Amino acid sequence: SIHAIYVNHCEEMFCSEKTLYRYIHLQQWEATDLDLPLKVKRKPFRKKTEHKVDKSCRIGRSYKDFLQWQEDNPGLSEVQIDTVEGSQDSVKVLLTLQWKKAGFMAAYLLDRQTAAQVNSVFRELQRSLGKAPFQRLFPVLLTDRGTEFSAPVGIECHRGEKWTSLFYCNPNQSQQKPNVENEHRMLRKIIPKGRNFD
């Protein structure tokens, strides 16, 4: 293997082990990817396109702020929101809203996993429900730090007036919104991982 060659002859090598693999992939030598049995078996790494998020949107919306909100508003329960991705080649995603107390989840099919798509769902909910019913259904929202939730004002406000509050879980702390995560496990029994939502 390339690794064994590199370990035994590292003092003679002019580059790193990773560069050797890259040269083989680029067909700079006689060896090709087909000569590397594990390389052929593995799926190619697909780098996700990264969207830059203005981190100032999270100021005053941390999980600590959420706990304080709960303390100030006893008896009110949060709606946990998240997205479920389909297969790697799928563009569409599901936006899930889970009411903790009711044990009820709604899902909306989004054309893309973007903040604009999420905000359009909430604009439609605000428009169709009206202020009082919307505030009763959505007293507070809790979600992760995904880029699709990076425009909180569009979710919280209707025509400049604040109707609800949105808070973010800490990074890599899915247990802070366990209800929606558990619902996703049940959802995967119906829609297995890898299913194309398009």
Side-chain angles (χ1 to χ4, degrees):
S1 70
I2 297 299
H3 176 71
I5 294 167
Y6 189 82
V7 168
N8 291 314
H9 301 279
C10 59
E11 66 282 344
E12 302 165 42
M13 293 293 173
F14 56 91
C15 62
S16 70
E17 186 179 342
K18 189 175 178 181
T19 304
L20 290 177
Y21 280 106
R22 193 164 52 245
Y23 282 150
I24 290 170
H25 179 69
L26 295 171
Q27 298 177 348
Q28 297 294 311
W29 299 318
E30 287 180 28
T32 66
D33 284 345
L34 293 173
D35 297 316
L36 306 173
L38 286 179
K39 173 106 181 185
V40 177
K41 284 181 188 175
R42 290 186 184 129
K43 286 183 181 178
F45 177 73
R46 199 184 111 188
K47 191 176 180 184
K48 271 195 167 182
T49 52
E50 288 186 27
H51 304 282
K52 290 194 176 179
V53 175
D54 180 11
K55 292 180 182 171
S56 64
C57 72
R58 298 186 194 125
I59 296 170
R61 293 186 177 92
S62 68
Y63 191 70
K64 190 178 174 185
D65 297 316
F66 168 69
L67 295 176
Q68 184 60 55
W69 185 94
Q70 275 192 318
E71 207 174 289
D72 298 340
N73 299 274
L76 290 176
S77 182
E78 79 274 10
V79 177
Q80 298 174 7
I81 60 175
D82 204 353
T83 51
V84 178
E85 296 176 4
S87 60
Q88 284 192 338
D89 57 337
S90 176
V91 176
K92 294 186 178 184
V93 297
L94 288 176
L95 170 68
T96 56
L97 304 102
Q98 207 276 344
W99 282 263
K100 185 178 168 184
K101 274 188 175 176
F104 175 77
M105 185 177 80
Y108 293 86
L109 185 64
L110 304 181
D111 289 333
R112 294 197 172 279
Q113 193 172 8
T114 62
Q117 287 284 307
V118 171
N119 289 6
S120 71
V121 168
F122 277 93
R123 272 196 306 275
E124 181 55 33
L125 286 166
Q126 290 163 344
R127 188 195 62 73
S128 59
L129 292 169
K131 186 177 179 179
F134 181 87
Q135 288 180 319
R136 252 194 330 273
L137 279 171
F138 301 97
V140 66
L141 300 161
L142 182 65
T143 188
D144 57 33
R145 295 172 176 233
T147 55
E148 65 272 31
F149 305 115
S150 60
V153 175
I155 296 171
E156 294 175 331
C157 301
H158 181 68
R159 295 182 180 169
E161 185 184 0
K162 190 169 179 177
W163 282 15
T164 186
S165 297
L166 180 122
F167 295 97
Y168 296 100
C169 295
N170 293 329
N172 305 313
Q173 298 293 316
S174 58
Q175 75 274 10
Q176 290 175 347
K177 52 179 181 61
N179 301 78
V180 74
E181 296 294 340
N182 287 335
E183 291 283 349
H184 286 182
R185 282 192 202 98
M186 292 174 72
L187 187 68
R188 285 299 187 192
K189 291 178 181 178
I190 304 161
I191 308 170
K193 226 171 190 175
R195 176 76 59 87
N196 191 313
F197 292 159
D198 295 358

